[in-house]
Amino acid sequence: MNQLSEYKNNPSFSINLKADSEKNNFTRQVNHAHFSLANSVQPKKPEWVHLSSSFLKDYEVEVGDKDKLLKLLSGAEKFDDFESYAMCYGGHQFGHWAGQLGDGRAINIAELEVNGENLKFQLKGAGPTPYSRRADGFAVLRSSIREYLCSEAMHHLGIPTTRALSLVKTGDLVSRDMLYNGNPKDEFGAVVCRVSPSFIRFGSFEIFASRGEKEELKQLVNYTIKNHFPELGEPSKATYLAFFKEVVNRTKELMIHWQRVGFVHGVMNTDNLSILGQTIDYGPYGWLENYDPAWTPNTTDLEHKRYRFGRQPNVALWNLTQLANALYPLIEEVEPLQQILHEYKRDYTLGFHKMMCEKLGLYVQEEINEEFITQLEDYMEKSQVDMTLFFRELSAEKAMDFNSFLDILEKSTYLSADELKAQQTHWEMWFGKYQVHIEKEKIDSTQRSVQMKTINPKYVLRNYMAQIAIDAAEKGDNSVVEELYDLLLHPYSDQPEMEKWYTKRPDWAMNKVGCSMLSCSS
Ligand code: AMP
Ligand code: MG
């Protein structure tokens, strides 16, 4: 085991790709470069909020000198063998090309060889970069808690994601107009250190294609393949297509995961989709409570709900189409790209069906038609069934008759008993079909329950839970952050002492800012 601060840097992205020749840190368009050098701002009085013990354990890293580590992870000190930088990328925001975006408040502070993997360490909220546009480069405590907790929770749910190593307060105040209603308020500044083998996004390719910078586009694609998809072989048109196919496949898998656990990203712009198929950029995300495909937590998106839960798989396809356009100059053939996109639709539909059947504990799936699942979704929506509770209760080991199924519905609905009763007939019909399918299962009920519990989490980071942690932390009490972090290390396990978090959204959280609605302000 090594101490993190003593790891040697082994720059990969910043050695193999092109640096911006301008070294000064001012807002600008950056042409013909993949990144710009940028230093973090000195924080006034850095203070720990949390450090991910599970990250340290996974990568066999020792904390070592905690004061030194705090300095590195707050931006107060630099790794002395590394030139920190911000990445250049563009993106389609809400369906429109937005031009250059880039790391406006993210600075890569290290590229360390950890456990045989080249990991990029990035501080989010450590000050402005050439890509900050009109914003300040900082982040506030509430959004940093949300990013920190959710990154780690996602990892423990077994869903690809960037990791979060640490969360610190900077000791500075940052002004934010949270509701965009002309009432800015001073909030606590914070920095999350997030970690991934790569922070390259779809938008990283789009920016070069949009500018006709084919050389830089090719360099980035070749770099990405060589370092992150080496099994695909030497660069060639065939390899570029194989690369695209792999990204399509990973993105499809990610969408199936999000739909499985009820995660709504909230801002699926092309700059927020990772080339590795990881969940990245936790902003106004949310977790489905009552099953509602039309739900989005993002107040900025309320009018069109482009990024609503039920639309995520289609948006991913739209974003993949933008990536195909960006790669086109290197491939110059439309048909094979279209073919791959076409396969996404087919494979997603198959994968989603399989996943939903498995959530129901149905592994013999030949005779289960799509309508059976669509009906379930429809009834769950109409009965306002809490997604997490419903599937978890269904995973309990017990013989199921319609009465015990009704108990589950009663436990998980947000409707009144009378309202639910009005829906009983269609549930009865659906349950009849469910029982027919269950009878075909070959495994016993114990094994079936164990298996169901591996994909139906008991604990997710419900929106109100994160808000309770935030409210406490803003008063200087980090204990709820800690409690939720610990809880979400084992989302699939029954944790009897944590039963209070296994419950429906409380009424007070229904329309509270931060619980059901979130703005992009962070
Ligand atoms: P997002 O929608 O959060 O992924 O951000 C979109 C773009 O805005 C990215 O280029 C971010 O780096 C940038 N951005 C967001 N917040 C800030 C901020 N406070 N300061 C500078 N840039 C920001
Ligand atoms: Mg982003």
Side-chain angles (χ1 to χ4, degrees):
M1 292 249 275
N2 283 316
Q3 299 191 5
L4 193 65
S5 55
E6 287 170 1
Y7 274 86
K8 283 269 159 293
N9 267 289
N10 183 16
S12 156
F13 185 90
S14 53
I15 283 288
N16 288 297
L17 293 166
K18 259 178 153 167
D20 175 9
S21 55
E22 173 63 63
K23 303 274 187 291
N24 292 315
N25 194 350
F26 60 93
T27 304
R28 60 183 178 270
Q29 289 294 306
V30 175
N31 294 298
H32 292 289
H34 299 98
F35 64 93
S36 304
L37 297 180
N39 288 320
S40 50
V41 167
Q42 269 303 316
K44 197 173 189 177
K45 193 173 171 295
E47 206 180 295
W48 287 111
V49 178
H50 207 266
L51 182 62
S52 172
S53 51
S54 117
F55 177 91
L56 298 170
K57 192 163 142 242
D58 288 350
Y59 287 98
E60 296 180 22
V61 174
E62 226 177 69
V63 176
D65 179 346
K66 238 184 146 184
D67 289 337
K68 170 80 181 169
L69 196 59
L70 177 61
K71 286 183 181 135
L72 290 171
L73 299 181
S74 64
E77 273 184 23
K78 295 182 63 159
F79 279 82
D80 50 19
D81 55 349
F82 194 73
E83 287 198 290
S84 54
Y85 65 88
M87 294 159 78
C88 181
Y89 54 80
H92 279 85
Q93 297 185 313
F94 298 94
H96 303 283
W97 175 242
Q100 178 183 300
L101 297 168
D103 285 336
R105 55 161 165 184
I107 297 179
N108 289 267
I109 55 156
E111 298 187 14
L112 306 178
E113 215 64 47
V114 185
N115 253 0
E117 218 177 333
N118 189 273
L119 295 181
K120 319 294 182 291
F121 290 69
Q122 187 173 86
L123 298 187
K124 189 165 173 181
T129 75
Y131 307 99
S132 295
R133 297 178 294 156
R134 284 175 303 279
D136 58 10
F138 297 111
V140 294
L141 183 60
R142 74 183 140 80
S143 61
S144 305
I145 289 176
R146 287 171 47 82
E147 169 132 25
Y148 178 81
L149 284 178
C150 202
S151 309
E152 291 301 275
M154 210 56 141
H155 171 72
H156 295 290
L157 282 164
I159 302 180
T161 176
T162 57
R163 295 293 301 268
L165 164 62
S166 59
L167 169 59
V168 300
K169 281 208 283 188
T170 58
D172 295 294
L173 293 176
V174 174
S175 174
R176 286 289 180 270
D177 185 1
M178 186 164 75
L179 299 176
Y180 299 123
N181 61 2
N183 289 308
K185 203 180 107 196
D186 277 349
E187 299 190 44
F188 295 114
V191 172
V192 169
C193 177
R194 56 182 183 179
V195 186
S196 172
S198 174
F199 290 102
I200 297 172
R201 302 128 190 276
F202 290 10
S204 309
F205 302 93
E206 286 181 280
I207 188 73
F208 299 116
S210 80
R211 287 170 168 168
E213 295 179 355
K214 194 169 165 185
E215 192 48 38
E216 287 77 10
L217 173 67
K218 194 167 178 179
Q219 283 170 349
L220 184 66
V221 174
N222 290 354
Y223 168 83
T224 308
I225 294 174
K226 184 159 182 271
N227 288 275
H228 304 295
F229 301 84
E231 65 284 359
L232 300 179
E234 289 301 309
S236 68
K237 278 192 188 183
T239 309
Y240 296 149
L241 277 171
F243 163 59
F244 182 60
K245 195 174 163 75
E246 179 61 21
V247 177
V248 169
N249 195 43
R250 290 192 192 193
T251 308
K252 174 206 75 187
E253 290 296 318
L254 184 65
M255 291 309 111
I256 295 172
H257 274 303
W258 286 0
Q259 302 309 106
R260 169 171 70 83
V261 297
F263 176 76
V264 189
H265 183 284
V267 202
M268 284 180 71
N269 293 331
T270 55
D271 53 306
N272 290 339
L273 264 89
S274 141
I275 203 70
L276 300 184
Q278 297 180 327
T279 313
I280 187 174
D281 274 7
Y282 294 85
Y285 67 80
W287 294 81
L288 222 54
E289 284 166 329
N290 52 300
Y291 193 82
D292 180 6
W295 185 68
T296 174
N298 184 356
T299 51
T300 317
D301 192 23
L302 279 186
E303 193 185 346
H304 301 293
K305 297 193 177 179
R306 180 181 174 83
Y307 298 141
R308 61 186 183 262
F309 177 69
R311 201 156 182 255
Q312 296 190 121
N314 279 335
V315 171
L317 177 61
W318 191 90
N319 288 354
L320 286 162
T321 308
Q322 307 317 310
L323 179 63
N325 286 333
L327 297 177
Y328 175 78
L330 304 183
I331 297 171
E332 292 176 314
E333 277 182 76
V334 175
E335 206 273 328
L337 287 167
Q338 269 175 344
Q339 180 60 29
I340 295 169
L341 290 168
H342 189 70
E343 284 162 11
Y344 170 95
K345 281 192 216 166
R346 179 200 64 196
D347 295 346
Y348 174 78
T349 306
L350 290 172
F352 176 77
H353 185 75
K354 178 168 184 288
M355 175 276 286
M356 288 298 280
C357 289
E358 287 175 3
K359 279 182 84 65
L360 293 165
L362 301 174
Y363 306 97
V364 180
Q365 296 171 1
E366 289 76 25
E367 286 166 35
I368 305 177
N369 58 22
E370 237 175 88
E371 195 196 3
F372 174 68
I373 300 296
T374 329
Q375 269 180 353
L376 170 68
E377 288 188 278
D378 184 28
Y379 300 162
M380 283 178 75
E381 182 184 349
K382 289 201 177 93
S383 297
Q384 296 193 19
V385 165
D386 185 279
M387 181 182 183
T388 306
L389 273 181
F390 174 77
F391 283 108
R392 187 68 185 193
E393 288 297 308
L394 215 54
S395 314
E397 191 194 346
K398 58 179 172 216
M400 181 98 56
D401 55 19
F402 188 60
N403 277 334
S404 50
F405 183 73
L406 271 185
D407 289 344
I408 293 177
L409 287 177
E410 268 164 32
K411 183 165 179 182
S412 50
T413 185
Y414 289 92
L415 296 181
S416 68
D418 283 348
E419 286 168 326
L420 184 65
K421 208 158 178 57
Q423 322 233 347
Q424 198 163 315
T425 326
H426 60 231
W427 276 120
E428 209 159 354
M429 248 165 44
W430 184 86
F431 184 77
K433 295 185 207 165
Y434 185 34
Q435 267 197 321
V436 172
H437 294 313
I438 291 176
E439 275 156 24
K440 292 190 190 128
E441 285 302 314
K442 296 187 176 70
I443 53 177
D444 67 31
S445 61
T446 310
Q447 208 186 337
R448 186 165 166 270
S449 164
V450 168
Q451 223 158 303
M452 286 175 79
K453 285 181 177 176
T454 63
I455 66 159
N456 291 322
K458 179 155 185 174
Y459 306 104
V460 295
L461 185 59
R462 290 169 184 271
N463 315 305
Y464 84 89
M465 291 162 64
Q467 192 56 40
I468 294 177
I470 290 166
D471 289 342
E474 285 183 340
K475 293 190 188 99
D477 170 10
N478 298 329
S479 65
V480 191
V481 170
E482 209 153 302
E483 182 174 339
L484 293 181
Y485 174 89
D486 289 342
L487 170 77
L488 297 167
L489 290 174
H490 306 288
Y492 298 104
S493 306
D494 292 311
Q495 302 179 49
E497 71 289 0
M498 293 289 198
E499 211 57 23
K500 71 168 175 191
W501 298 118
Y502 181 56
T503 168
K504 275 187 287 192
R505 169 192 67 223
D507 289 343
W508 61 259
M510 182 69 179
N511 292 310
K512 184 170 155 50
V513 174
C515 296
S516 59
M517 310 173 272
L518 290 135
S519 75
C520 284
S521 155
S522 58

